[in-house]
Amino acid sequence: MFKKILIANRGEIACRVIRTAKRMGIKTVAVYSDADARAPHVRMADEAVHLGPPPASESYLKAELIIDACKATGAEAVHPGYGFLSERESFAKALAKEKIAFIGPPPKAIAAMGDKIESKKLAQKAGVNVVPGYLGDIATTDEAVKIAKDIGYPVMMKASAGGGGKGMRLAWSEKDVREGFEATKREGLSSFGDDRVFIEKFIEQPRHIEIQVLGDQHGNILYLGERECSIQRRHQKVVEEAPSPFVTPEMRKAMGEQAVALARAVGYYSAGTVELIVSGADTTGKSFYFLEMNTRLQVEHPVTEEVTGLDLVEQMIRVAAGEKLELSQDDVELNGWSVENRVYAEDPYRHFLPSTGRLIRYRPSPEKRDGIVVRVDDGVFEGGEVSMFYDPMIAKLVTWAPTREAAIDAQVAALDAFEIDGIGHNVDFLSALMQNPRFREGNITTNFIAEEYPEGFEGAPADSQLIVDLVAIAAMIETTREARAGQISDQLHSPIEPPRDHSVKVGGEVHRVHIEPFEGGTMASVDGGAPVEIFGSWTPGQRLLGLTIGGRQRTVRVARNGRKWELTTRGAKHKVQVLDPHVAELSVHMIEKVPPDLSRLLLAPMPGLVTRLDVKTGDKVEPGQTVAIMEAMKMENILRAPKAATVKATPVKAGESVAVDQVIVEFE
């Protein structure tokens, strides 16, 4: 077994590998860029080596620096994590040349599966189902249009060397192909150094299901069940679960055997994933097709670990050290259900725009007992920074329970207790997904988010019981605040007793609440209804409030927003105003503040780089016309004209970095 390994990665996956290595008694070496000098993975490792500036191209992607770090520290092997150099054949070969073990598959398997076009040809030879499409080189947009017509719309354009949801465009018409083909080529070139694009039929009502494979260097290859990864946004996975609610034992066996056949055809060993597109419309389960093989550890590997009881990182290390797998296919059993949510630095209330900055507060959900597992894999810390240079993922929240429903419920409870301040995040959105009736039924496709939230996300809908509970909680909080204010010293009179009656405004409606404190709690009556007991108390300044109201467990994040309370729970922020009844009667006469008109301005929706500006002063634009292109968080974003107008000014030029809400174009 290795005595020391180097982790050629950063963030949560570096921390994840280090934890397993330490448990195995293996010393670890971390590498870091200037942006990650204080990162958790650097502190966790036994040693750390500085690589270079923040851009990955000048640090984490420089294979020679990784090899130099191995030589300097005596590391015998390298675990690449995912992303960066994990699927670079040249990196695995360079390590082998220096007699440093690569904790991953052999270079020839990486090469065979790394090219999406060639991998599909290999899959066909191995007897694996493949999606109809054109796998040759496509030189021009006109050629792409002809091929798309021959296949039949809709089609998917993909960068041949792409991965992680990047370099992909869905086209429903010739217009989409003409607009998206060149963008796909650019993304492929900038992200992967390869601008080749292939086109394949887009499967409608598609489900994204993947098979985890594990092999050793002695010819043993197993499949460890499947993961359902259909909940995606912009082709990036958001929610994963194992097993899939759609897959039957017969489907699992057929998919698994094809995945093993493909792995065997390329001499695969280590952990890997065969991704499949499955037609949800075919209840027989026979319509599944090969998409690609990821020759590395997947982001979503924890759900497989939770249902199989295996540590995939440990297995990868043991396989790289030449050990045989200690289990056979018959030993693989799936126990219970596991769900993973990816907590991203993005603002779902602003169309999921990336968010960067300092984590002023970061308190992930605590572990839960009583037969439920809550696991948080992260690589950030309170006071640290979410940088524009890397992936926007903050953490992976993983739950396990005996049933799917219980695992989902555990996610909702854990998300309620997840505290993040300082940057935008998608915790509310994830909670809304977990509560969505269609998701809970398992009726999901890769179009789920677009279909369920066509106008964007505005928070999870609250049922009437939740509104009543929030009204009572807000009145209790306000009573506590007023009681505290009444105890301020040096007042002329005796302490002022807070009022027991309140008018509470929430969601455009006003509710009357009567409060009666008692030892250990509060009795609250809303709109003349029967009193309910609230067990638990709030202290001024307390951010996370856990209590029982009417026998129901509630976890609420509490914040003061001007004269209102902001109560966040169950996937939504609720602005609540608590007033004395006589003040509420007079408040209807207050003039509403009208927000400024921003329709004449095209604002930067996120911090990033303006890579292209397509208009100049005096140009006339039509609604939906491309005005500028921005790059942020390694993704290209098209900014369009909101209406027909004439360009008055362009304060920003191509090549300039901009802050969020900075004016890019002003219209007359």
Side-chain angles (χ1 to χ4, degrees):
M1 181 50 64
F2 306 119
K3 292 183 172 60
K4 183 186 289 188
I5 66 173
L6 181 145
I7 298 90
N9 217 298
R10 63 175 300 279
E12 64 87 15
I13 186 56
C15 295
R16 164 75 187 86
V17 175
I18 290 170
R19 280 194 293 271
T20 288
K22 284 183 177 293
R23 182 175 55 76
M24 296 175 69
I26 301 171
K27 291 191 176 297
T28 56
V29 179
V31 292
Y32 63 95
S33 70
D34 291 342
D36 286 334
R38 297 171 57 236
H41 76 280
V42 175
R43 299 199 303 269
M44 287 175 64
D46 296 295
E47 300 173 64
V49 177
H50 175 249
L51 294 179
S57 60
E58 299 177 46
S59 50
Y60 295 106
L61 286 172
K62 300 196 81 167
E64 64 273 18
L65 297 180
I66 304 294
I67 291 172
D68 289 344
C70 289
K71 292 178 179 178
T73 58
E76 305 159 80
V78 171
H79 195 300
Y82 47 72
F84 293 146
L85 297 170
S86 62
E87 294 180 283
R88 293 273 182 95
E89 176 200 14
S90 59
F91 180 55
K93 281 184 172 179
L95 289 173
K97 185 177 180 181
E98 299 293 339
K99 294 183 170 44
I100 300 168
F102 179 67
I103 304 175
K108 66 176 184 178
I110 297 174
M113 293 293 101
D115 186 314
K116 283 190 172 68
I117 294 173
E118 293 304 315
S119 68
K120 288 183 183 294
K121 294 176 180 177
L122 281 167
Q124 281 180 316
K125 288 181 182 177
V128 179
N129 304 343
V130 297
V131 179
Y134 183 82
L135 302 182
D137 290 340
I138 303 173
T140 66
T141 300
D142 287 339
E143 188 179 351
V145 168
K146 182 179 183 303
I147 290 168
K149 284 181 179 177
D150 291 342
I151 295 172
Y153 293 107
V155 298
M156 182 69 81
M157 298 175 288
K158 295 184 178 180
S160 179
K166 297 175 180 64
M168 300 172 69
R169 289 287 192 286
L170 176 60
W172 294 88
S173 65
E174 178 179 333
K175 178 177 178 290
D176 293 340
V177 175
R178 291 194 178 280
E179 186 174 89
F181 181 72
E182 290 298 328
T184 306
K185 287 174 70 72
R186 285 195 301 272
E187 278 192 11
L189 186 62
S190 65
S191 296
F192 311 105
D194 185 343
D195 70 349
R196 289 178 302 152
V197 173
F198 69 96
I199 299 177
E200 65 185 13
K201 180 70 176 174
F202 179 71
I203 306 298
E204 297 187 67
Q205 297 185 32
R207 300 180 80 113
H208 186 124
I209 296 172
E210 58 190 32
I211 301 293
Q212 176 72 57
V213 296
L214 178 66
D216 62 25
Q217 299 185 48
H218 306 276
N220 301 304
I221 306 176
L222 316 173
Y223 63 90
L224 307 179
E226 80 284 352
R227 294 184 288 260
E228 173 80 62
C229 306
S230 297
I231 305 295
Q232 304 177 5
R233 196 187 66 77
R234 291 187 68 175
H235 311 299
Q236 285 275 16
K237 298 166 189 172
V238 179
V239 182
E240 299 99 357
E241 57 182 309
S244 164
F246 184 74
V247 173
T248 63
E250 294 74 23
M251 287 177 65
R252 183 174 299 121
K253 186 172 186 294
M255 291 174 172
E257 288 176 352
Q258 286 199 14
V260 168
L262 177 61
R264 198 175 298 282
V266 295
Y268 199 89
Y269 56 78
S270 193
T273 298
V274 176
E275 299 201 354
L276 305 169
I277 193 79
V278 182
S279 172
D282 184 357
T283 55
T284 67
K286 295 180 179 179
S287 300
F288 63 87
Y289 308 97
F290 172 76
L291 275 179
E292 62 180 330
M293 184 174 188
N294 290 307
T295 55
R296 55 170 168 81
L297 192 67
Q298 289 281 88
V299 176
E300 57 272 21
H301 74 274
V303 292
T304 297
E305 292 183 328
E306 293 300 328
V307 296
T308 61
L310 294 171
D311 183 327
L312 291 179
V313 172
E314 177 182 349
Q315 295 299 319
M316 292 179 74
I317 294 172
R318 293 192 180 281
V319 167
E323 295 185 13
K324 286 186 177 180
L325 295 178
E326 294 184 349
L327 70 162
S328 67
Q329 189 64 59
D330 291 339
D331 297 323
V332 178
E333 294 183 0
L334 305 184
N335 174 37
W337 216 284
S338 185
V339 178
E340 174 181 295
N341 273 302
R342 300 190 189 187
V343 181
Y344 281 125
E346 61 185 15
D347 189 346
Y349 295 101
R350 299 187 64 189
H351 304 288
F352 300 93
L353 296 175
S355 180
T356 59
R358 194 161 302 283
L359 281 166
I360 296 171
R361 190 175 185 85
Y362 176 70
R363 306 285 171 88
S365 305
E367 288 186 15
K368 191 171 183 177
R369 304 298 179 183
D370 302 325
I372 303 292
V373 174
V374 177
R375 165 180 168 180
V376 178
D377 284 12
D378 59 18
V380 300
F381 64 100
E382 190 168 280
E385 188 174 353
V386 175
S387 168
M388 66 178 285
F389 296 102
Y390 311 117
D391 188 88
M393 190 165 66
I394 298 171
K396 300 184 303 196
L397 178 64
V398 184
T399 57
W400 177 93
T403 65
R404 183 173 187 263
E405 183 179 11
I408 294 170
D409 287 342
Q411 280 283 342
V412 176
L415 289 163
D416 275 348
F418 214 114
E419 293 186 82
I420 302 175
D421 281 332
I423 60 172
H425 58 81
N426 67 338
V427 167
D428 287 355
F429 179 65
L430 297 175
S431 181
L433 290 176
M434 295 296 100
Q435 298 172 68
N436 186 290
R438 183 178 153 195
F439 172 77
R440 296 180 77 93
E441 291 167 4
N443 178 23
I444 53 180
T445 70
T446 55
N447 301 321
F448 179 88
I449 290 177
E451 291 168 356
E452 292 294 303
Y453 305 96
E455 303 301 322
F457 178 69
E458 297 179 353
D463 58 35
S464 57
Q465 185 61 68
L466 178 58
I467 293 297
V468 169
D469 287 356
L470 288 175
V471 165
I473 291 168
M476 181 205 75
I477 290 172
E478 181 66 18
T479 300
T480 303
R481 188 192 72 82
E482 290 177 347
R484 173 72 174 269
Q487 293 173 356
I488 295 173
S489 62
D490 299 329
Q491 295 187 93
L492 293 176
H493 305 287
S494 58
I496 301 171
E497 281 293 320
R500 301 294 174 88
D501 293 302
H502 301 276
S503 291
V504 181
K505 288 184 174 183
V506 58
E509 296 185 356
V510 179
H511 303 265
R512 300 296 293 267
V513 187
H514 180 74
I515 292 288
E516 286 290 344
F518 65 86
E519 187 68 28
T522 304
M523 195 74 75
S525 174
V526 179
D527 294 328
V532 295
E533 294 177 326
I534 304 176
F535 290 101
S537 59
W538 176 78
T539 303
Q542 183 179 345
R543 294 169 178 260
L544 192 66
L545 174 60
L547 45 74
T548 303
I549 176 168
R552 296 174 292 278
Q553 297 290 328
R554 296 291 190 197
T555 301
V556 182
R557 295 195 295 278
V558 180
R560 188 73 170 167
N561 189 337
R563 295 183 178 182
K564 297 180 181 180
W565 294 101
E566 189 173 83
L567 305 182
T568 305
T569 188
R570 306 285 299 186
K573 293 179 172 62
H574 301 271
K575 287 185 169 54
V576 185
Q577 189 171 21
V578 184
L579 301 170
D580 290 343
H582 73 281
V583 175
E585 291 177 10
L586 296 172
S587 67
V588 298
H589 303 293
M590 296 294 289
I591 299 173
E592 289 289 335
K593 184 178 180 181
V594 179
D597 178 17
L598 300 178
S599 63
R600 295 187 304 103
L601 305 175
L602 179 68
L603 305 178
M606 72 210 85
L609 180 72
V610 177
T611 57
R612 210 174 82 195
L613 190 66
D614 290 351
V615 296
K616 61 183 182 299
T617 302
D619 284 356
K620 294 186 183 300
V621 296
E622 297 299 323
Q625 179 179 329
T626 300
V627 173
I629 294 178
M630 279 187 66
E631 188 177 287
M633 293 287 192
K634 301 187 289 185
M635 295 291 283
E636 191 174 81
N637 300 271
I638 299 174
L639 306 184
R640 304 179 187 276
K643 60 182 181 180
T646 301
V647 176
K648 181 179 179 181
T650 55
V652 173
K653 307 303 178 189
E656 292 184 11
S657 295
V658 293
V660 64
D661 289 336
Q662 185 172 336
V663 177
I664 296 177
V665 177
E666 181 180 355
F667 302 106
E668 291 182 355

